[in-house]
């Protein structure tokens, strides 16, 4: 027997143990995959893919196990389409949330700008009033000085 035939026999035996629910090296609840069979056979990653008919056998066994459990096995293209639709839905959801938050930010920025403008106007008005107050104080001082009469000693 060649090394290739030995490897194939080891893979077949590992698949059979998994199929019977009595694996030695992997948990019994683990999903069936080529990688799981490789680990059960104590072989390297990707060694099962050298045998395309074995890969098909693993896929067929997976379908059979799912049918025995009463599960519906979707073709791979439908699974991919379902995942794509889910990702699109999530993306659209995040996009809608992003746009809503962006609108809130724009409103906040506009309100901030409006308040800043009002503050600048109020500070300018305060400066005007302080200048007017100073002028009035000078005017009052001048008026009081003009009402002062000299007291002469006679």
């Amino acid at each position: 027997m060649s090394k290739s035939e030995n490897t194939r026999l080891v893979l077949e035996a590992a698949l059979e143990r998994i199929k019977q629910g009595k694996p030695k090296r992997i948990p019994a609840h683990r999903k069936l995959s080529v990688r799981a069979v490789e680990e059960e056979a104590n072989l390297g990653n990707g060694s099962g893919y050298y045998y395309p008919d074995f890969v098909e056998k693993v896929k067929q066994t997976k379908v059979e196990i799912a049918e025995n459990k009463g599960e519906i096995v979707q073709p791979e293209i439908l699974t991919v389409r379902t995942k794509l639709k889910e990702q699109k839905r999530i993306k659209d959801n995040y996009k809608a949330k992003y746009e809503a938050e962006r609108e809130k930010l724009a409103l906040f920025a506009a309100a901030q700008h409006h308040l800043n403008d009002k503050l600048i106007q109020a500070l300018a008005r305060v400066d005007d009033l302080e200048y007017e107050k100073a002028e009035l104080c000078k005017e009052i001082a001048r008026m009081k000085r003009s009402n002062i009469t000299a007291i002469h000693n006679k």
Side-chain angles (χ1 to χ4, degrees), residues 1-147:
M1 268 189 161
S2 68
K3 185 175 180 183
S4 176
E5 291 171 341
N6 286 337
T7 303
R8 186 171 178 79
L9 287 175
V10 170
L11 285 168
E12 294 285 344
L15 178 61
E16 194 58 38
R17 286 194 304 270
I18 292 172
K19 197 175 182 181
Q20 293 173 358
K22 299 176 184 177
K24 294 179 182 176
R25 293 183 177 89
I26 64 168
H29 59 80
R30 182 170 173 182
K31 271 185 166 181
L32 177 62
S33 66
V34 177
R35 181 66 189 132
V37 176
E38 291 168 349
E39 286 182 20
E40 176 63 22
N42 202 24
L43 295 173
N45 191 5
S47 57
Y49 289 99
Y50 286 105
Y51 310 98
D53 54 328
F54 175 75
V55 173
E56 284 303 316
K57 187 173 181 179
V58 170
K59 287 181 182 178
Q60 187 59 38
T61 303
K62 191 174 183 179
V63 169
E64 290 170 7
I65 290 172
E67 286 174 354
N68 290 339
K69 289 182 180 178
E71 297 175 0
I72 299 170
V73 179
Q74 290 183 337
E76 192 172 329
I77 189 78
L78 291 179
T79 305
V80 171
R81 282 185 184 154
T82 304
K83 286 181 182 178
L84 185 64
K85 284 180 184 177
E86 179 66 16
Q87 289 173 353
K88 188 174 186 321
R89 184 190 66 77
I90 290 170
K91 183 179 176 183
D92 289 342
N93 187 19
Y94 279 125
K95 190 173 184 181
K97 286 180 182 178
Y98 172 77
E99 290 300 324
E101 293 301 318
R102 199 167 166 207
E103 287 178 21
K104 285 181 190 176
L105 182 61
L107 290 174
F108 180 73
Q112 186 71 20
H113 180 69
H114 180 70
L115 289 173
N116 195 30
D117 188 46
K118 291 288 185 186
L119 177 63
I120 290 170
Q121 289 176 0
L123 289 174
R125 180 72 176 134
V126 166
D127 286 343
D128 290 345
L129 290 174
E130 284 178 354
Y131 178 75
E132 189 177 335
K133 177 186 164 200
E135 290 297 317
L136 288 174
C137 285
K138 288 179 187 177
E139 182 74 28
I140 290 172
R142 249 185 276 124
M143 288 176 70
K144 285 184 179 179
R145 285 188 197 122
S146 67
N147 288 337

